[in-house]
């Protein structure tokens, strides 16, 4: 259970690291406090309300909860977030070098998870 808690906390810790060291500030939080400690405290408070993502493997995540079927898998490293699979099945093929098949040129995944989708 400690391992799962670490993986769940890791996403928030990564954002906080970027707030503290890389001047990241989410526009939806309003104006960034000038004082670094106040900015970090404000970000920590705001992050308590972001949706939970479930670790799939390493730093790959999916949204938690009902209605999360068919969402793209996200590869997350601090605030550097990219799509890593159209859905869980596609991700497994991508990650583990199985036959993936061709992706349509029109493929345009849309993450729907508030906050995290805005970092893509």
């Amino acid at each position: 259970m400690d391992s799962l808690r670490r993986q769940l906390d890791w996403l928030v810790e990564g954002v906080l690291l970027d707030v503290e060291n890389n001047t990241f500030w989410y526009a939806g939080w309003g104006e960034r406090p000038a004082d670094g400690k106040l900015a970090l405290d404000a970000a920590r408070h705001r992050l308590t309300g972001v949706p939970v993502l479930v670790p799939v493997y390493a730093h790959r995540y999916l949204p938690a909860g009902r209605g999360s079927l068919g969402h793209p898998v996200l590869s997350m490293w601090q605030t550097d977030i990219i799509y890593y699979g159209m859905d869980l099945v596609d991700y497994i093929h991508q990650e583990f070098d199985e036959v993936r098949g061709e992706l349509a040129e029109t493929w345009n995944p849309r993450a729907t998870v508030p906050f995290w989708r805005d970092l893509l």
Side-chain angles (χ1 to χ4, degrees):
M1 192 56 90
D2 287 341
S3 175
L4 178 58
R5 174 53 48 204
R6 278 193 306 274
Q7 287 180 293
L8 293 170
D9 292 344
W10 186 76
L11 295 177
V12 168
E13 290 170 11
V15 173
L16 292 173
L17 183 69
D18 277 353
V19 168
E20 184 175 26
N21 298 310
N22 298 320
T23 67
F24 171 79
W25 191 254
Y26 180 62
W29 294 341
E31 189 174 333
R32 180 187 173 106
D35 178 88
K37 182 176 179 347
L38 291 177
L40 192 58
D41 289 344
R44 183 175 286 112
H45 175 72
R46 297 287 189 140
L47 288 166
T48 61
V50 300
V52 174
L53 298 180
V54 176
V56 175
Y57 177 75
H59 55 278
R60 315 289 193 238
Y61 287 79
L62 276 171
R66 186 177 292 197
S68 58
L69 179 67
H71 286 274
V73 174
L74 303 177
S75 178
M76 308 181 73
W77 194 266
Q78 292 167 223
T79 54
D80 181 17
I81 301 174
I82 62 171
Y83 293 108
Y84 210 77
M86 294 185 296
D87 54 25
L88 184 58
V89 172
D90 180 62
Y91 158 74
I92 290 170
H93 291 301
Q94 173 78 357
E95 186 74 59
F96 300 105
D97 291 326
E98 295 181 17
V99 177
R100 180 180 198 183
E102 293 295 317
L103 289 177
E105 289 183 24
T106 58
W107 181 62
N108 190 14
R110 296 277 187 227
T112 58
V113 184
F115 178 76
W116 302 110
R117 70 174 172 223
D118 299 336
L119 302 184
L120 285 159

